[in-house]
Amino acid sequence: MTKYNFFAGPAILPKQVMAKAAESVIEMGDMGLSILEISHRSKEVVEIMENAVSLTKELLGIGDDFEVLFLSGGASSQFYMSAMNMLGENETAGYVDTGAWSTKAIKEANAFGNVQVLSSSSDKNFSYIPKGYDIPSDLKYLHVTSNNTIFGTQFQDFPDSQVPLICDASSDIFSRPLDMSKFGILYAGAQKNLGPAGVTLAIVNKEFLKKQARETPTMLDYNTHVKKASAFNTPPVFPIYVSMLTLEWIKANGGLSGMAQRNAEKAKILYDEIDRNSMFKGTAAAEDRSLMNVCFLPVNEDHTAAFIEKCAEAGCVGVKGHRSVGGFRASIYNAMPKEGVETLVEVMKSFESAHA
Ligand code: PMP
């Protein structure tokens, strides 16, 4: 039976990418060696890294005004690394609190400078994206979480201001085109739309980085990784390689506008069914609904386990919701085929027929 992976992360990757990655684990090209055992200084790996950087730039439409870095430590390390580098002791950064990951970013930044939480949706269990708050023009940066993996909300538009954005895009990177001129730093753990766990992408605006706030330990300084093209120490070669393969797949499938179109289509199929079906209700404010993580609840709580079982029987795995929302969460990242979403919708329909 075909399995459809709806887990939030580590998450689904394109089948072709995994097939090629598997091949390269046995033998990389015709080298007679596995990708897992070759030096990060080898010609092959240097080329992989250069290719990953240039595909990232090409897909996002950015040039030499940005540095593309492949780092370790997950998005969680970017919470403090971005603030440590960019927020001076006497400077103020704005944060928008849209869920558990933003809250963690806020906690880390507090250690380095003044943190002003401009708005929060905690009053309604983070079920919406705050709007209409003031953004002081003298902020060093404004931190946002573009997509809230746990709560299923997503910024459809980024805040309108001249303040550079630092953005945690872990769960919607490469899902849609972005106006990169707004961003000082865009970072993402790879393990949703990009590759396996183990590498973190950070895209850093060079002018913004010139306003670095302090000296940091060597490994935590963005400039260290800029100067050494992400190979100051041994980089996570295999996750970078798989990310490069995914970037090639994105390019071959219409780039970011192609992704955005497919993602909108898939999400509409699922949200339309949630709104139609008498057994389920959505949790996020309609205008802020995420195209990546679709959260919904059973109207009758007693149906939770039974529905998850029906999903599993149909090959849909990973549909259980996060404990802070409950119910169900279908993560439908770039690599989720439309058939996966249609299969889930069929399960929802037959669940209604059986129980209504
Ligand atoms: N930010 C967001 C939006 C996330 O979804 C996650 C992981 N699910 C993280 C940060 C943390 O990422 P990591 O595990 O790579 O530290």
Side-chain angles (χ1 to χ4, degrees):
M1 189 210 308
T2 308
K3 290 261 174 124
Y4 295 108
N5 178 1
F6 288 93
F7 279 103
I12 187 167
L13 288 171
K15 288 252 181 301
Q16 304 92 306
V17 166
M18 288 191 280
K20 181 85 195 248
E23 232 175 68
S24 308
V25 167
I26 305 301
E27 184 178 354
M28 183 71 194
D30 54 5
M31 286 180 83
L33 296 171
S34 162
I35 176 81
L36 301 181
E37 60 185 345
I38 56 178
S39 165
H40 58 294
R41 310 278 175 215
S42 66
K43 173 171 82 46
E44 287 77 9
V45 173
V46 170
E47 267 173 27
I48 287 167
M49 295 189 53
E50 285 173 357
N51 197 16
V53 170
S54 70
L55 282 163
T56 298
K57 287 186 168 179
E58 183 183 342
L59 288 168
L60 287 169
I62 52 178
D64 288 340
D65 38 347
F66 284 89
E67 298 286 355
V68 175
L69 306 175
F70 291 95
L71 307 173
S72 301
S76 299
S77 295
Q78 291 305 304
F79 296 161
Y80 61 78
M81 188 166 164
S82 56
M84 181 186 263
N85 277 265
M86 302 313 302
L87 181 58
E89 212 177 315
N90 299 314
E91 292 176 323
T92 303
Y95 277 70
V96 185
D97 188 15
T98 52
W101 299 112
S102 315
T103 309
K104 288 186 170 149
I106 291 165
K107 173 174 181 281
E108 298 301 310
N110 264 309
F112 301 106
N114 303 315
V115 170
Q116 213 178 325
V117 179
L118 301 183
S119 198
S120 168
S121 48
S122 64
D123 59 334
K124 291 188 179 163
N125 199 29
F126 299 113
S127 58
Y128 68 101
I129 299 288
K131 295 164 202 87
Y133 45 88
D134 281 336
I135 303 170
S137 58
D138 58 350
L139 294 175
K140 184 71 178 285
Y141 62 81
L142 171 62
H143 183 283
V144 293
T145 310
S146 53
N147 183 73
N148 297 282
T149 326
I150 295 176
F151 299 93
T153 61
Q154 185 175 24
F155 279 83
Q156 309 304 327
D157 298 300
F158 288 97
D160 192 18
S161 97
Q162 295 304 311
V163 175
L165 294 176
I166 295 188
C167 177
D168 174 2
S170 293
S171 50
D172 67 353
I173 183 100
F174 298 121
S175 71
R176 55 179 173 174
L178 290 177
D179 171 8
M180 286 299 292
S181 68
K182 283 176 162 278
F183 297 92
I185 300 175
L186 185 85
Y187 64 84
Q191 65 273 20
K192 295 157 202 309
N193 254 345
L194 187 55
V199 67
T200 310
L201 177 65
I203 303 166
V204 182
N205 182 295
K206 283 183 187 169
E207 282 305 310
F208 185 55
L209 186 56
K210 283 186 188 155
K211 298 181 190 135
Q212 197 178 27
R214 62 171 61 71
E215 275 193 35
T216 73
T218 310
M219 274 296 284
L220 299 184
D221 184 342
Y222 286 114
N223 284 304
T224 301
H225 305 285
V226 168
K227 281 181 203 136
K228 296 290 182 183
S230 303
F232 171 76
N233 68 324
T234 315
V237 172
F238 186 65
I240 295 173
Y241 173 63
V242 182
S243 299
M244 185 211 78
L245 295 176
T246 308
L247 292 166
E248 286 179 340
W249 176 86
I250 293 172
K251 183 176 167 184
N253 284 277
L256 298 188
S257 52
M259 292 297 118
Q261 198 185 341
R262 276 164 40 117
N263 290 330
E265 194 189 342
K266 288 183 290 175
K268 181 170 179 350
I269 294 171
L270 191 46
Y271 283 119
D272 280 353
E273 179 60 17
I274 291 169
D275 292 341
R276 186 209 62 77
N277 194 310
S278 60
M279 311 298 289
F280 305 101
K281 53 180 190 234
T283 61
E287 71 275 17
D288 302 324
R289 282 172 161 179
S290 166
L291 303 194
M292 299 279 99
N293 309 99
V294 177
C295 296
F296 55 110
L297 298 173
V299 168
N300 177 348
E301 250 186 60
D302 296 343
H303 285 156
T304 309
F307 179 69
I308 289 170
E309 204 178 303
K310 289 290 170 203
C311 288
E313 280 170 20
C316 298
V317 297
V319 178
K320 189 173 184 296
H322 189 276
R323 62 189 174 284
S324 22
V325 180
F328 317 112
R329 171 175 55 175
S331 297
I332 52 172
Y333 298 116
N334 285 347
M336 173 61 68
K338 188 169 146 193
E339 299 79 63
V341 175
E342 286 167 346
T343 303
L344 180 59
V345 163
E346 281 312 310
V347 180
M348 293 167 77
K349 285 186 174 153
S350 51
F351 199 79
E352 185 185 39
S353 307
H355 294 273

